[in-house]
Amino acid sequence: MIQAIAFYMFAVLLIAAGTLTIMSRNPVHSVLWLIVSFFNAAGLMVLVGAEFIAMLLVIVYVGAVAVLFLFVVMMLNIDFAELRAGFMKNFPLGIAIALVLLAELILGIGAYGAGVLELGTPDGSAAPLLGRSNIENIGALLYSDYLFLFEAAGLILLVAMVGAIVLTHRERATAHRGHQDIGKQNRRRPEDATVNTRPEVGKGVQL
C-alpha cells in the first residue's frame, strides 16, 4: 500500500515538474523544476529496485548537470525577448516531434496490450552475487568481467580532462592584474608602504 502511494506521488510530481520545466518563462525556474523532476525520477527508480540509477540521477544529473545549467543560465545575459521569439519560431517543429513520439507511445502500449509484445523479466541467474543489491552486482561485474574496459574509460576521461586544462591554460610572461608575489610582500619594509597624504589644492603629490 505504501509503495503504491509513493509511486503515484512520485509519478504525479514528476509529470507536474516536467510540465513546469517546459512551460516556465524564466530559465532559472525551468532548471529548478528540472531538478525537482530528477529527484522524483530517482524516487521511482528506488521503488523498482534500481537504486544505482537513482544515485546516478541525484549525484550526476542533479549535482553536476542541472547545477551547471543553473550557473550558466544565471551568469549569461539572456535576452528573453529573443528567447521567446526563437521558441515561437520552432514551435511547429516541436509539436510535430511531440506528435510522432505520442504516436510511438500509443503504438507500443497498444501492441503490448494486444499481446504482440512480451517484455522479458530477468530471473537473476546472470547476477554474479545472488541475493545482493544491484549496486553490489554492478560493482562485481565492473571489477571482474569489465575491469579493463572500466580502466580504459577512466583513462580516456583523464586524458580529456588534462587536454581541456592544457587548451585553456595561458602562460603570462609578466605579472598581470590580480597576481600576488608572496615573497615580495614578505620582504616589504614599513617605509615602502603606501602612505595616505592630503596635499593642498594645486600642490600635487610628491613622489
Side-chain angles (χ1 to χ4, degrees), residues 1 26 32 45 79 91 99 105 108 113 117 154 169 176 194 196:
M1 184 64 182
N26 194 331
L32 293 177
M45 293 298 105
D79 188 359
F91 185 75
L99 291 176
L105 286 175
L117 295 178
H169 183 67
H176 57 280
T194 303
N196 293 326

Side-chain angles (χ1 to χ4, degrees), residues 39-181:
F39 272 113
N40 287 280
L44 290 176
M45 293 298 105
V46 171
L47 289 178
V48 298
E51 64 270 12
F52 181 75
I53 300 179
M55 292 300 103
L56 285 181
L57 283 172
V58 174
I59 297 173
V60 177
Y61 285 93
V62 176
V65 178
V67 174
L68 178 62
F69 287 166
L70 185 61
F71 277 108
V72 169
V73 168
M74 293 176 66
M75 292 174 64
L76 293 180
N77 187 14
I78 300 175
D79 188 359
F80 293 100
E82 184 180 356
L83 186 65
R84 294 190 186 97
F87 174 78
M88 295 305 298
K89 179 181 178 181
N90 298 319
F91 185 75
L93 179 61
I95 291 295
I97 295 175
L99 291 176
V100 171
L101 293 177
L102 180 62
E104 291 179 352
L105 286 175
I106 294 175
L107 181 62
I109 294 173
Y112 177 73
V116 179
L117 295 178
E118 293 183 2
L119 301 179
T121 55
D123 55 359
S125 60
L129 301 176
L130 297 177
R132 301 294 182 88
S133 63
N134 62 347
I135 294 181
E136 293 175 326
N137 282 281
I138 291 174
L141 286 174
L142 284 179
Y143 292 102
S144 59
D145 296 342
Y146 301 98
L147 177 61
F148 294 106
L149 295 176
F150 183 72
E151 295 292 338
L155 183 61
I156 293 172
L157 291 175
L158 177 62
V159 172
M161 182 182 67
V162 173
I165 294 173
V166 171
L167 291 175
T168 56
H169 183 67
R170 295 291 183 271
E171 289 288 347
R172 291 180 173 87
T174 58
H176 57 280
R177 184 177 181 181
H179 176 72
Q180 293 184 352
D181 189 348

